[in-house]
Amino acid sequence: VTPKEPTVGVESEDVIIGDSVMSGLVLGAGDRPFFNLASISESTSVQRTYNTLMILINSNSRIPTSSKITLTGLKGTLPMTESGQIAGMHPFYFGSNPLWNHASGTLVLEVVSVIPPNANRMFAFEVKNGFAPQAAKQVYIAVKCPAGGNSGWCLWDGVYIPY
């Protein structure tokens, strides 16, 4: 992290904490929240079969509870399986009732546990591939933080995920 103005450092006889450690969103001296990494992969491209879509994210800022993570551009798939559950390595960050609209290809996840910054987090969900082959889609991911609290610094710019 490159410190920005203003920066803050702490020094005492026992501890020295430099300005690069002390700068950040908490002190209002860091960058706006953004994704360091956002990728998507699938388990199969075979038509009319179940397909696990795996999403990997890494952000420069924590994503607070009650935030909504929205993925758009997932058109051409049939509704999620009956369970409708989020799986993968880190499903516990999300609520148990994702909102899936297969007509628009949109998935909305509610964050129920703070997602820490600068750490890879992977989650997955299952769809059923359509009846005809299709070209790769442009998938967009964005975060909307809850109103109040620290939402003033949570102005996320969404990104297109290579798919």
Side-chain angles (χ1 to χ4, degrees):
V1 173
T2 304
K4 304 212 183 264
E5 293 296 329
T7 58
V8 176
V10 175
E11 293 185 25
S12 73
E13 292 179 12
D14 301 321
V15 179
I16 298 175
I17 302 175
D19 56 3
S20 65
V21 174
M22 292 295 289
S23 65
L25 295 171
V26 173
L27 300 174
D31 291 328
R32 287 180 54 177
F34 63 88
F35 286 105
N36 298 318
L37 169 70
S39 68
I40 185 170
S41 58
E42 62 183 342
S43 61
T44 184
S45 59
V46 176
Q47 297 123 10
R48 299 174 22 176
T49 190
Y50 290 106
N51 185 6
T52 302
L53 299 180
M54 296 156 281
I55 314 295
L56 179 64
I57 60 172
N58 181 317
S59 63
N60 73 330
S61 177
R62 72 185 187 95
I63 302 175
T65 58
S66 300
S67 296
K68 305 283 189 214
I69 296 180
T70 302
L71 293 155
T72 56
L74 298 169
K75 292 181 181 179
T77 58
L78 300 175
M80 291 173 68
T81 58
E82 294 76 30
S83 67
Q85 297 298 309
I86 300 302
M89 294 178 66
H90 304 102
F92 46 85
Y93 288 109
F94 306 104
S96 59
N97 295 313
L99 300 174
W100 171 248
N101 182 325
H102 74 280
S104 67
T106 301
L107 176 69
V108 179
L109 304 168
E110 181 177 4
V111 176
V112 296
S113 181
V114 172
I115 299 174
N118 302 311
N120 290 345
R121 296 295 178 247
M122 193 278 284
F123 58 95
F125 58 97
E126 194 169 62
V127 296
K128 190 169 185 181
N129 288 341
F131 295 104
Q134 61 181 5
K137 303 292 182 189
Q138 263 199 321
V139 177
Y140 189 78
I141 185 169
V143 175
K144 182 177 181 185
C145 294
N150 293 329
S151 63
W153 56 258
C154 196
L155 302 170
W156 287 74
D157 292 324
V159 298
Y160 284 99
I161 304 174
Y163 183 38

